């Protein structure tokens, strides 16, 4: 989970439209929020990711659902209120279900709260710093779902480690005399690719940023590259990724 910035309320959601859609929901119970004028701006605000688990919900095999932070059955007047809506994957939306943040306890809303203040990664699993983190990870969303989330994080993290081993080997070879333009370009492109996968718009960016920037091979590579001009552009990517890291 990463901190998100909520976009400006869509022009579509005028007071009159909000009132009309709310009344339709109260009368029929239909999903009046399930329309492009609402879903598209939500997706844009999260870079097409689930606001909670960071899964890509724009993939053909997946589907974005509009999640109501305050549960719609308990707060029917908020069913199309912009500040109550989040883009969610089907798993997270279904898992949260009828969880009532005003009764069962407040959880992290990534549009309003900095996730890193309440949780961190350890061995590809999220751990909590406080009760809000525990409720978010365990009670409301179960963000340590072994099959759907932890296994994905592990695969991504191991991919990062493997790529770093290759880059380090190439850099050591370069330093030992295999000095070619192609070799240097491969090293720089490899680091750049990993850093881009750790940017906010990338799926599971918090895990990727954490695995990458805390890896001993990355720290060594960084130290060796930082004296070269090519590092300047990479450093900009690293600075952004650093804001996503979830460590104890």
């Amino acid at each position: 989970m990463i901190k998100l910035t909520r976009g400006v309320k869509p022009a579509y959601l005028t007071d009159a439209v909000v009132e009309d859609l709310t009344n339709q929901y109260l009368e029929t119970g239909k999903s009046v929020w399930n329309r492009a004028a609402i879903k598209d701006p939500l997706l844009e605000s999260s870079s097409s990711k689930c606001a909670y688990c960071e899964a890509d919900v724009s993939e053909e095999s997946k589907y974005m659902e509009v999640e109501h932070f305050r549960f719609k059955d308990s707060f029917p007047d908020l069913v199309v209120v912009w500040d109550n809506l989040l883009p969610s994957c089907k798993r997270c939306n279904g898992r949260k279900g009828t969880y009532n943040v005003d009764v069962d306890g407040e959880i992290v809303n990534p549009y309003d709260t900095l996730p890193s203040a309440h949780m961190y990664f350890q061995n590809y699993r999220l751990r909590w710093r406080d009760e809000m983190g525990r409720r978010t990870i365990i009670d409301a969303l179960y963000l340590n779902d072994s099959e759907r989330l932890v296994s994905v994080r592990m695969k991504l993290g191991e991919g990062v480690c493997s790529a770093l081993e290759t880059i380090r080997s190439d850099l050591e070879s370069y330093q030992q005399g295999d000095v070619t333009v192609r070799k240097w370009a491969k090293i720089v492109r490899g680091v750049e690719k990993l850093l881009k996968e750790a940017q906010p718009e990338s799926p599971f960016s918090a895990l990727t940023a954490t695995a990458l920037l805390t890896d001993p091979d990355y720290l060594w590579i960084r130290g060796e590259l930082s004296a070269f001009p090519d590092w300047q552009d990479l450093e900009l990517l690293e600075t952004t990724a650093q804001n996503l890291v979830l460590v104890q």
Side-chain angles (χ1 to χ4, degrees), residues 44 68 77 94 97 100 110 119 123 151 194 225 236 242:
E44 184 177 357
H68 297 84
D77 291 339
N100 188 324
M119 61 187 73
N123 297 328
S151 62
L194 289 175
L225 293 184
L236 294 174
Q242 190 67 54

Side-chain angles (χ1 to χ4, degrees), residues 16-72:
V17 168
V18 168
E19 181 179 3
D20 179 54
L21 294 178
T22 302
N23 288 334
Q24 287 184 45
Y25 173 71
L26 292 171
E27 293 172 4
T28 68
K30 292 183 178 180
S31 303
V32 295
W33 51 84
N34 192 22
R35 48 195 69 200
I38 295 174
K39 296 174 71 173
D40 289 350
L42 282 176
L43 277 173
E44 184 177 357
S45 72
S46 69
S47 299
S48 298
K49 298 189 295 182
C50 173
Y52 294 124
C53 74
E54 285 199 89
D56 185 349
V57 291
S58 67
E59 295 178 5
E60 185 177 351
S61 60
K62 297 179 182 178
Y63 179 75
M64 174 230 165
E65 295 186 350
V66 176
E67 204 280 303
H68 297 84
F69 190 70
R70 282 181 162 74
F71 182 53
K72 57 185 178 294

